[in-house]
Amino acid sequence: VFSRSHSLSFFPKHRSGALSQGHLTLFFVSRGFRQAFSSSSHFFPLTLSVLSNMSPYLSSGTGHEENVKVTDTAAVFQHIHADPATLPPSLDPFTITTQNGFLPLQTPPVELPPVFAPLQKLCDDMPIEKLDGTPGLLATYKLGPMIDEQKALSDLNHEIDNLIASDGKPDLTAVSAAFRDYSFLASAYLLEPCWEQWNIDGTYGKGRELLPKEIAGPLVKCAKLLDVPAFLAYAAGYALFNYRFANSAIGATEYTNLRLIRAFEKGLDPSSSEAGFILTHVDMVKHTGPLIQGAVQMLDAVAADTGSSTVTDAFELLLSTMRVIEDSMEGMWNQSRPKDYISYRTFIFGITNQPFFPNGVVYEGVDENKPQYFRGESGANDAIIPLLDSLLQIPMPQNPLTEILKDFRGYRPKPHRDFLAYVRSRAEEIGVKEYCLKDLQTKVLYLRLLEHVRSFRWRHWLFAREYIIRRSSHPTATGGSPIVTWLPNQLFAVMELMRSIWESVDGPDREAQGKSVNEMMNNVYDSYEKLDKEVEKWCQDRDWDRKRIFVH
């Protein structure tokens, strides 16, 4: 039995390779935190490897974990205020700027050099519905045979080395485009049998357990150059490096101008739910430039102790930006129909903690052919809320669910990882939360920004409930986290923090904040109880004991 103040430090750090044998059952009880993972005889247990960094290709550190004594964030991130158009393609395309935020520096390239034509043709022919509306290879389960029997793809591993920018360094923009295409192809190949089984009886069966060297070799080489896991990921592959413009003159200013480059099902049709699901995320992230700017202003203002007015300006920028982002997020309901998600979801599952890959996946010719375990594509890899978690120093309970949250960090592009690690470290060093809570005005602004974290996570919970939980009994999300209890783990945490701060404000000062703030906080208390009941209900419906955490 553990309290929230104890760390589950006994979990070993694993890389790829065989799973440990045997079972370990943890019983987790915490005051106010009953949303621990649950299980039954029908539940596929978590693997020990889910609590560790999945990729052997990630660097050991971010380079920004140590104390930073400067008061100007630009001294640490030299490109943060740069014009993205002036930066070379040899930079990681996800280098963060206050102009593009978490989007890539340039619109992702659609085409690769001609030598990659076989790869691009397979990706073009792969979707269930191709760009011209005709059935693709996945529609009739012919992608695997096309690769295995007809040898439609040669080994282009050595050609990755020829993706060189004009400055003589690796062209990481082109490498990222190759990574996107190879990772899409890898997921389609591995999960094609699951898609076929899904169409037969609504179960997933087993995926392919060997990724051919023609895909595995180039995919891993790209992953090493980019310092990311060698699997389809939210930013580097599925969403944020997978869009183009119907009209380049309009750009990203209008959602209706966005198109996908790659898709699994019907996503090349911009009116499809698959397109809506992905492009809504792109539309949200296009607004993150001011979010970066606000975070930088906050850190620099607190570090320099320039007074509450400067901090207030940073809060106002962050608040106005989050309103725009959440408005964009709300568009998901119209742009991607809940009933359609379960279908194309098949192709974004990962290897880790999924019953259709019980022995992992061998990447032929890689890592001595040891089984690999990677998480699947997940919106949890987005950086918007993790940025605010870090900046506002939101405490998370020390439990295996939070360890999964930490594990997701490794699936972001390296510049995202570096920046978020810096914000976490810097906010803790200079005491952002303590600084904001010592004054009533900034305390209320802090609460209002926490409310955006809460409402964002609440909407994410509603998406999970309506798109997945109501429509599938599969126990894990695409990223390998428990489908019912994982999102509430973080949602309860932010609401607990909001309640504790509000309870530190005396009665007259609460009343002085007016109707909107008081209604906001009343909703927090109501939402906490509502969520607690919902999680309990969904666990009971599945015969899961939410107080039990199974680790295999």
Side-chain angles (χ1 to χ4, degrees):
V1 179
F2 302 94
S3 73
R4 289 183 62 189
S5 62
H6 287 83
S7 170
L8 302 182
S9 58
F10 56 84
F11 286 106
K13 292 291 182 182
H14 285 268
R15 287 170 59 175
S16 60
L19 295 176
S20 302
Q21 299 297 312
H23 290 76
L24 174 64
T25 304
L26 305 179
F27 292 87
F28 175 78
V29 181
S30 65
R31 181 168 56 88
F33 244 95
R34 299 193 296 119
Q35 68 285 4
F37 192 23
S38 54
S39 180
S40 72
S41 59
H42 304 292
F43 188 80
F44 187 75
L46 286 169
T47 63
L48 278 174
S49 59
V50 307
L51 302 176
S52 62
N53 195 331
M54 290 297 104
S55 175
Y57 312 115
L58 296 179
S59 58
S60 59
T62 66
H64 300 297
E65 296 286 1
E66 298 180 358
N67 287 345
V68 180
K69 299 303 181 184
V70 296
T71 59
D72 185 2
T73 305
V76 182
F77 295 92
Q78 60 177 314
H79 302 299
I80 200 157
H81 296 303
D83 178 355
T86 66
L87 299 176
S90 56
L91 275 181
D92 191 306
F94 284 99
T95 297
I96 290 174
T97 68
T98 54
Q99 183 170 321
N100 281 23
F102 291 120
L103 277 185
L105 296 171
Q106 306 294 336
T107 308
V110 175
E111 302 291 337
L112 287 166
V115 70
F116 290 96
L119 167 66
Q120 296 208 268
K121 178 169 174 50
L122 271 176
C123 289
D124 291 342
D125 292 343
M126 178 182 74
I128 292 164
E129 184 177 294
K130 296 193 294 184
L131 183 61
D132 62 6
T134 61
L137 295 171
L138 289 174
T140 51
Y141 322 116
K142 292 181 179 177
L143 177 64
M146 182 69 69
I147 293 171
D148 295 335
E149 299 168 15
Q150 299 185 36
K151 306 298 180 184
L153 184 64
S154 58
D155 187 352
L156 300 173
N157 195 11
H158 60 286
E159 293 294 344
I160 302 298
D161 298 327
N162 295 326
L163 298 175
I164 303 298
S166 59
D167 58 8
K169 299 176 182 178
D171 185 336
L172 295 186
T173 299
V175 170
S176 294
F179 176 84
R180 175 197 64 216
D181 285 4
Y182 275 112
S183 62
F184 256 89
L185 188 60
S187 289
Y189 176 87
L190 294 173
L191 290 157
E192 184 180 39
C194 299
W195 168 247
E196 183 173 5
Q197 189 65 41
W198 170 263
N199 285 311
I200 294 172
D201 61 10
T203 66
Y204 292 111
K206 294 290 187 289
R208 293 188 172 103
E209 295 189 340
L210 175 70
L211 187 65
K213 67 180 186 302
E214 292 82 4
I215 304 174
L219 177 58
V220 168
K221 181 170 285 189
C222 290
K224 287 181 177 179
L225 286 167
L226 298 170
D227 201 358
V228 295
F231 203 79
L232 182 69
Y234 165 79
Y238 188 63
L240 303 189
F241 214 72
N242 186 33
Y243 67 92
R244 61 181 180 86
F245 303 134
N247 183 339
S248 58
I250 297 175
T253 57
E254 297 179 12
Y255 172 84
T256 55
N257 195 46
L258 295 173
R259 299 290 187 274
L260 291 183
I261 298 172
R262 298 292 174 217
F264 292 114
E265 193 190 37
K266 301 176 182 179
L268 299 181
D269 175 358
S271 67
S272 70
S273 289
E274 184 183 21
F277 176 70
I278 299 172
L279 294 176
T280 297
H281 287 88
V282 175
D283 192 66
M284 291 162 56
V285 177
K286 79 180 184 187
H287 299 294
T288 53
L291 200 68
I292 300 295
Q293 180 65 45
V296 169
Q297 287 182 13
M298 176 78 73
L299 291 173
D300 293 348
V302 173
D305 194 15
T306 55
S308 61
S309 62
T310 311
V311 172
T312 297
D313 289 343
F315 267 122
E316 293 298 345
L317 179 56
L318 291 165
L319 288 165
S320 62
T321 303
M322 284 305 299
R323 284 193 289 270
V324 174
I325 289 173
E326 289 204 76
D327 284 346
S328 173
M329 187 181 188
E330 187 67 16
M332 179 72 77
W333 299 107
N334 293 325
Q335 288 145 201
S336 185
R337 294 170 289 279
K339 67 180 181 63
D340 297 338
Y341 176 71
I342 290 296
S343 179
Y344 56 85
R345 178 188 187 225
T346 304
F347 294 102
I348 57 176
F349 279 108
I351 304 168
T352 295
N353 198 34
Q354 300 297 353
F356 26 91
F357 294 114
N359 304 309
V361 171
V362 170
Y363 280 38
E364 187 179 16
V366 174
D367 197 18
E368 299 178 336
N369 286 343
K370 295 176 183 177
Q372 305 292 311
Y373 295 88
F374 296 109
R375 294 191 177 279
E377 190 282 330
S378 172
N381 297 339
D382 187 81
I384 293 172
I385 293 303
L387 173 61
L388 296 182
D389 282 347
S390 300
L391 180 67
L392 300 177
Q393 297 178 264
I394 300 175
M396 292 293 163
Q398 293 180 320
N399 63 32
L401 296 172
T402 298
E403 292 303 309
I404 296 174
L405 178 71
K406 294 177 181 178
D407 193 37
F408 277 129
R409 294 172 182 170
Y411 288 80
R412 299 184 183 111
K414 187 176 187 300
H416 290 191
R417 301 198 310 267
D418 286 356
F419 185 71
L420 293 178
Y422 168 81
V423 172
R424 280 195 303 274
S425 175
R426 188 68 168 145
E428 182 176 353
E429 179 196 0
I430 63 180
V432 168
K433 180 164 65 173
E434 181 182 2
Y435 190 94
C436 294
L437 296 184
K438 67 183 181 181
D439 175 85
L440 181 59
Q441 179 189 14
T442 52
K443 180 182 287 189
V444 172
L445 288 170
Y446 183 91
L447 275 172
R448 287 174 56 199
L449 191 52
L450 283 177
E451 167 62 11
H452 278 290
V453 178
R454 185 209 64 83
S455 63
F456 189 107
R457 283 196 161 113
W458 183 269
R459 192 178 286 104
H460 193 181
W461 163 251
L462 295 182
F463 288 155
R465 188 186 72 190
E466 300 303 319
Y467 285 69
I468 305 170
I469 297 172
R470 289 192 190 279
R471 302 170 192 277
S472 172
S473 61
H474 190 70
T476 51
T478 53
S481 59
I483 190 62
V484 172
T485 54
W486 188 75
L487 287 173
N489 183 63
Q490 291 78 254
L491 187 47
F492 278 120
V494 68
M495 289 193 287
E496 287 191 349
L497 177 59
M498 293 181 74
R499 296 198 310 185
S500 68
I501 293 172
W502 187 240
E503 288 162 10
S504 72
V505 180
D506 61 32
D509 282 340
R510 288 193 199 181
E511 292 181 12
Q513 301 314 309
K515 181 179 179 181
S516 63
V517 173
N518 279 271
E519 286 183 347
M520 176 187 83
M521 289 309 305
N522 288 338
N523 182 57
V524 169
Y525 284 85
D526 291 344
S527 296
Y528 191 100
E529 298 304 319
K530 181 179 180 180
L531 180 63
D532 186 65
K533 291 176 182 178
E534 282 196 20
V535 174
E536 190 67 33
K537 172 190 179 298
W538 290 113
C539 287
Q540 288 180 357
D541 287 351
R542 286 159 167 74
D543 195 27
W544 298 347
D545 179 357
R546 80 190 265 195
K547 294 185 178 68
R548 299 182 72 195
I549 303 174
F550 269 58
V551 183
H552 178 63

